[in-house]
Each structure stands twice: as C-alpha cells, then as structure tokens.
Amino acid sequence: MTVVDEGSGRLPVAEPGAVRRAAVRLLRADRRAFGAALALNVLAAGAGLAGPWLLGRIIDEVRAGHGTGAVDRLAAAILACALAQLLLARWARYAGHRFGERTLARVREEFVGRALALPASVVERAGTGDLTTRGTADVAAVGTTLRDAGPELLVCTVQALITLGAVFVIDPLLGAIGVLGLTPIWFALRWYLRRARAAYLAEGAATSEIAEIVAATASGARTVEAFRLQERRTAASRDALEIARRTRLRTLHLRSVFFPVIEVSYSLPVAGVLLLGGALHARGAMSLGAVVAAALYLRQFTEPLDQILLRVEQLQSSGASFARVEGLAGAPRAEPDGGAPTPADDRIDVTGVRYAYERGGEVLRGVDLTVRPGERLAVVGPSGAGKTTLSRLLAGVDAPSAGAVTVGGVPVAELAPETLRRQVVLVTQEHHVFLGTVRDNLLIAEPAASDGQLWAALAAVGAADWVRELPGGLDAVLGGGGARTDGSQAQQLALARVVLADPHTLILDEATALLDPATARHTERALAAVLRGRTVIAIAHRLHTAHDADRVAVMQDGRLTELGTHEALVTADGAYAALWRTWHGERAGDSRAGEGAGAPGGAGQAGEAGEAGGAGEACQAQTP
C-alpha cells in the first residue's frame, strides 16, 4: 500500500508493510548470496565466543594449581579462534558487500523502469525536484545501507544473539540479569522508532522541495528576470530552507535523546552480572571463571549491540528513503500498448476543450479545432493566451478538464506510451544532451538507425557540419570530459532525434528558440521538407512560421478567435493582422501590412518577440 497525495500531485510514499515486502522480495531475489553471508556470520560469531570461555577456563586452571602447559594450550586455542574469527568475518563482509551491490543494482533498475513508466503529466505535477531527489539522494542512502549498514547489521545481530545465548549457557540467572539490564535500551528504542520514520520522511520531503525550487528557479531564470520575480523566488527558497532546518533539527533531537540513554545503559548488564556473580561465588555456588566469562561476554555483547543501534538509527533514515524509492510502484502508470485503443487515422479533433491548473484559473475556454493529416498549422497569440497549454493537450501530456482531444477518434491522453510516441511528438525549448557519443544521443530515438540515417537526420536540422568537425564525428563523446555543446547545438540534436523518430504529428513549441533567426528559419524549413506529408503544429512566436503554414490559429485569452490562411487573416484586419503589423514595426492601419514576409528587419524583432513570448508561456505553465 502507498500513500498518495492527490491534491498536491506529489509522488506516493510506500507504507511500512510495502517496504517490508519489497525488502523480502530483494532478499529472495539473491537468496543464495544472503544465505552464504548469514552462514559465514554465524561461523565468525561462533569462533568469537571461544575467547571468553577459554579465558574463564584459564582462570579456573590456575586456581586449581595446574601447570603452565594447560595454560599454554588454552592460550594457543584462544589465538587460533581469534584468527579464525578474523578470517571468517572478513569473508562474511565480502559476501555481504557483494550481495549489497547486486541488490542495489536491482533497486536502481527498478527505479529507472518505474520512472520511465510514469506518465508525463504525473512527472509534471510532482515536479522534477522530488523525482530527482528520489533517484539520487534516496537511492544513494539505500545503497549505503545495502553496502555497509546491511552486512554490518547482519554480522552484529548474529554476534549479539550468540553472545547473549552463551551467558545463558553459563548460568540462566546471569543471563536473566543481563537481559533485565537491557530494559532501558528497549524503552528508548521503542520511543525512538515511534517517532523516527515520520521525522525522516518529513526531512526527505523538505529536501525534495528545496531541489524543486532550485531547479525551477534555475531553469526559469529568464522568466524570473523578465517578470521581476527575484524577491518572490528568494522568499520561497528561504521558506523551504527554514522548513528543512526544522525537520533536520527534529531528527537531531531524536538522536540526542536516544544515544545518551543507550550509552548509560550499556554498563547496567555488566554491573548486574558482577554483583550477582560475586555474591554467588562468595557462597560457592559459582566458579570465578564462570563469573569472569559471563562478564566478558556481556562486555563483548555491548560492542555488536552498539553497532546494531547505530545501524538501526541509519535504517530509519534509509528506510524512509527506501519508502520514497519504493513509492514509485504505487504511482499511476501509462497503460501498455496491448490494452489501449488504436487511432483510425491521423486526424486531430479538439472539441469544446477547457483546462484549468490545479492552483489557478481556467486557461483554455471552449476551444474547437480540427487539424487535418499532413497539414502545417501555426498557433499564434499574445503571451499567456494558452498556446503552450494547448500544445500539451495535443501531445497527451495533460488531459482536458472538459471536452476532448482525439487523434483518429481516440483520446490522446488514453494512448499507450509507444503508440503516443509514434503518433505525436512534442518538442519544446527544453533539451538534454546525454552523456555518451553523438551516436548514442541519436540512437535513443531509433536504435536500429544506420550511420547514413544518422547523418541524414543531422543534415536535416543543420547539425552535420559541426558534428563532422568533432574528433571522431558520430563517435565523439559529449559532456563530461568530452566535447561541450551550446544551447543551439543541443537543440539541433533534439530535433535530429525527432527526425529519426518520424512521428505522424510533430508539435513544435518554440523548439528553435535557442537558434539564431537565420538558423532557426533554415532548420524549420529543413524539418518541413523532411516531414512533408506529416502533420506539423507550430506554436509560433516568430511569425515567419505562421506565414509559411497552411493555416494559422489565433489564440486570445484562452479562446480560438481566428482560423485561416495567412493571407486571409491579414486581409481580414483582425487580431492576426495586428500581430503581423507589430512584428514588422508598422503603425496600425498601415496598408503595407501584408508585405515583406521574412524581411531581415523582422527577423531581428522575431528573436526578441520569441523570447518574451516564451517567458510568458513558461510562467503560464509553471505558475498558474
């Protein structure tokens, strides 16, 4: 079972029962390695028990007046057992670490698989900060536990149980006194465990919130500057840091109470055994060697117990992290292709669509639109008109609050992931260059593509020349210690992946914003040539895109107000004609409004208009 916060859109967190079942599943997946590590730990603990018992024998032999020969033999046995314990313990830790690394690999693979199966809308609502923190800090915490704390806890638990059992073998009464002396530790542990999980989960959520705010502020830096939101973002960061500070002070308070109680309680079992054992020895009911051996066992018992309690504290932190990692299993998943409907054709219909963000007003208000297969449609309008929101609905990233967006008669949001990727691809200003070669970055879109196809895709978006100049060409390593790419080159790689994916419908939401106007125009025309026969929907801030389109859709205040060809809309002298005149810097009513398509002077303004419009749309999408 998982806890899902539907209202906030946060990713779910697994309940303790689900975490335990997941842990058992991981143990069963590599049961042989776990069993070998457990057996070696038992043998190592058994070898460690011989020392105190043999020392007690030496004391009794000396008191009985036996010679040095018996002492020498017992001392040699102690040395042999210590050496055996050392070797077995090292072997056990080696086996435990191998088990931990293999298990950590399974955790990482499961996390990646679950993250990739998340619908885009779920990731958008949850925020990249939470998902990133779970995939980095939380997985790292789980890895540390599996690699270090897990094997150490296993070793110490076996040692502690066997050591305490040895005290009962010497004398049950002494064993009972030793257990009674551990009572304060038991109460302190219960007090701590009742509070620790919630405290560490709150700390993890606060850390995710900081990551989300930092990521959003960094990625939207231009928007923050354009709308002068610096103080608001600083205040949000300060509030998140304050919450994180409080959650960390809470976990620190728990540790500052728990560990001092534990340290004081360690001496109670040894003191109790010495007092009771001394009294029994004085009455002749117990040998001095037995008292010494029992006291040494209990003193030896505190060492693994101390490690257990330290690891238990670590397990609370990593357990909370594991609950967050395992929580992805309860997140909504995209349906596989087998159970999803198949579109009859590539026609896109938008019928009575309305959309409102969870914490904002209505963005789209009754939009009706039909996009014919193979059509080039440009969507234009002032900043905040709802263009980007419409593109997300067309791409199936979000589902409309009312109305329907269908492709071939099937709601886009209900398409299976693989079908959706073949049907509709959304390309935005956001881009990513993966660590690896140029070839690796391109084969993500089409693993079976040949080198000829890769070069053709690069040429289509104007990237072939600079890739050829790289040492190694397609085999040139990007990022890290390899070649670095600027924003325009990274965007060209993203567009080349689109060419290779060869979707039926391509939605460009200011996808060439980072390219200079001349390169952007060349790239868009090259893409149009490559994707001829495909449906292309361009969210256009640079109006030359609208001029080249088959039809232009004009958005204003969340509504579709005009629809037609460029020439028809300019002639109609409506909202689009006003935008076109502004684009060319002409006065209202200028009779030359329709002239000069693609004029050099307009290109420079296009870049400025595009950046301003993009900033507005980013604000619209992220901060309703």
Side-chain angles (χ1 to χ4, degrees):
M1 180 180 178
T2 54
V3 177
V4 184
D5 190 347
E6 295 288 354
S8 67
R10 291 179 179 174
L11 294 171
V13 175
E15 290 283 5
V19 173
R20 287 192 293 270
R21 289 191 294 272
V24 171
R25 186 187 72 247
L26 291 173
L27 292 178
R28 288 177 176 173
D30 202 359
R31 61 172 65 90
R32 296 179 113 187
F34 178 75
L38 182 62
L40 289 170
N41 283 315
V42 170
L43 293 175
L49 290 178
W53 180 78
L54 291 172
L55 183 59
R57 287 285 308 277
I58 289 175
I59 293 174
D60 289 339
E61 292 289 336
V62 171
R63 286 179 60 83
H66 294 156
T68 58
V71 174
D72 291 341
R73 287 193 301 272
L74 292 172
I78 291 176
L79 181 62
C81 289
L83 180 61
Q85 182 187 20
L86 175 64
L87 296 176
L88 288 170
R90 287 181 63 86
W91 193 5
R93 281 179 171 80
Y94 173 76
H97 280 84
R98 284 180 59 85
F99 165 77
E101 289 294 342
R102 285 197 294 268
T103 305
L104 175 59
R106 291 189 179 91
V107 171
R108 285 175 172 158
E109 290 168 359
E110 286 183 356
F111 180 85
V112 171
R114 290 167 177 171
L116 293 176
L118 292 175
S121 57
V122 173
V123 177
E124 291 280 350
R125 286 195 298 269
T128 55
D130 189 14
L131 189 62
T132 300
T133 302
R134 294 185 189 218
T136 54
D138 289 331
V139 169
V142 174
T144 300
T145 299
L146 290 172
R147 187 171 48 248
D148 301 321
E152 188 68 27
L153 183 63
L154 181 62
V155 171
C156 293
T157 300
V158 173
Q159 289 179 346
L161 291 175
I162 293 180
T163 302
L164 191 60
V167 180
F168 277 93
V169 171
I170 293 175
D171 190 280
L173 186 57
L174 294 182
I177 290 298
V179 172
L180 186 62
L182 299 174
T183 303
I185 296 178
W186 169 254
F187 284 111
L189 184 60
R190 283 178 57 85
W191 175 88
Y192 175 78
L193 293 179
R194 280 198 300 268
R195 295 162 174 80
R197 185 178 188 272
Y200 279 110
L201 283 175
E203 183 178 338
T207 302
S208 293
E209 186 65 20
I210 292 175
E212 176 65 25
I213 289 176
V214 171
T217 302
S219 62
R222 290 186 177 181
T223 302
V224 171
E225 292 177 358
F227 290 93
R228 299 180 180 178
L229 301 175
Q230 293 92 331
E231 292 185 3
R232 185 182 301 179
R233 300 305 298 175
T234 301
S237 301
R238 187 181 297 113
D239 292 342
L241 288 170
E242 175 60 22
I243 294 173
R245 184 186 70 85
R246 291 177 183 175
T247 59
R248 295 192 180 187
L249 284 177
R250 173 61 176 164
T251 57
L252 178 61
H253 167 72
L254 295 178
R255 293 191 295 271
S256 65
V257 172
F258 178 60
F259 285 115
V261 173
I262 297 302
E263 292 295 334
V264 172
S265 301
Y266 282 155
S267 59
L268 297 180
V270 178
V273 165
L274 288 176
L275 288 173
L276 179 62
L280 293 175
H281 174 67
R283 297 180 182 180
M286 183 177 296
S287 68
L288 180 60
V291 175
V292 171
L296 288 175
Y297 276 134
L298 285 174
R299 182 66 188 87
Q300 183 175 304
F301 172 75
T302 61
E303 295 178 7
L305 180 61
D306 186 55
Q307 289 298 316
I308 290 172
L309 295 174
L310 283 172
R311 298 304 182 182
V312 164
E313 190 278 330
Q314 184 178 350
L315 281 176
Q316 298 310 300
S317 175
S318 62
S321 295
F322 191 32
R324 287 162 52 78
V325 171
E326 189 64 23
L328 258 66
R333 291 190 177 191
E335 292 296 329
D337 278 359
T342 302
D345 53 36
D346 300 333
R347 171 180 167 136
I348 297 176
D349 291 298
V350 180
T351 309
V353 163
R354 294 179 176 272
Y355 185 82
Y357 290 100
E358 292 179 359
R359 294 186 295 275
E362 200 170 43
V363 181
L364 297 179
R365 300 173 177 86
V367 176
D368 292 289
L369 175 66
T370 295
V371 184
R372 299 183 292 267
E375 182 179 19
R376 292 178 300 167
L377 176 71
V379 182
V380 303
S383 178
K387 302 185 297 296
T388 291
T389 302
L390 178 62
S391 71
R392 292 165 59 84
L393 298 184
L394 291 171
V397 175
D398 292 315
S401 305
V405 179
T406 63
V407 55
V410 178
V412 176
E414 296 180 9
L415 292 176
E418 291 303 319
T419 302
L420 180 61
R421 294 187 187 108
R422 291 192 300 267
Q423 200 75 34
V424 183
V425 169
L426 171 64
V427 184
T428 68
Q429 297 180 48
E430 299 177 3
H431 54 268
H432 185 75
V433 176
F434 297 91
L435 293 177
T437 64
V438 175
R439 179 183 282 105
D440 295 333
N441 271 267
L442 298 178
L443 290 178
I444 292 173
E446 180 51 64
S450 64
D451 283 5
Q453 291 173 307
L454 299 183
W455 283 115
L458 291 170
V461 298
D465 291 340
W466 66 263
V467 171
R468 285 195 179 93
E469 294 176 358
L470 296 176
L474 291 175
D475 294 317
V477 177
L478 302 178
R484 296 189 177 277
T485 55
D486 58 28
S488 63
Q489 291 172 335
Q491 206 158 31
Q492 286 176 324
L493 286 176
L495 293 172
R497 286 195 286 262
V498 173
V499 174
L500 289 168
D502 194 21
H504 293 295
T505 299
L506 177 63
I507 302 174
L508 300 173
D509 185 3
E510 198 62 14
T512 57
L514 296 181
L515 306 180
D516 62 84
T519 304
R521 189 165 175 79
H522 168 74
T523 301
E524 289 169 358
R525 285 177 171 171
L527 274 173
V530 172
L531 297 175
R532 184 172 289 113
R534 303 290 191 249
T535 306
V536 179
I537 302 172
I539 309 301
H541 297 295
R542 293 166 173 164
L543 291 190
H544 65 71
T545 302
H547 177 272
D548 295 341
D550 297 327
R551 287 194 301 165
V552 180
V554 182
M555 298 284 299
Q556 285 186 306
D557 194 27
R559 293 181 174 87
L560 183 61
T561 58
E562 292 183 310
L563 181 64
T565 65
H566 164 78
E567 291 78 9
L569 294 181
V570 170
T571 303
D573 199 25
Y576 179 77
L579 286 173
W580 185 254
R581 286 193 295 268
T582 302
W583 167 266
H584 289 285
E586 299 174 2
R587 295 186 302 275
D590 194 320
S591 61
R592 296 175 301 159
E595 301 296 328
Q605 293 174 357
E608 295 174 3
E611 289 181 7
E617 281 298 294
C619 183
Q620 173 73 24
Q622 296 178 8
T623 312

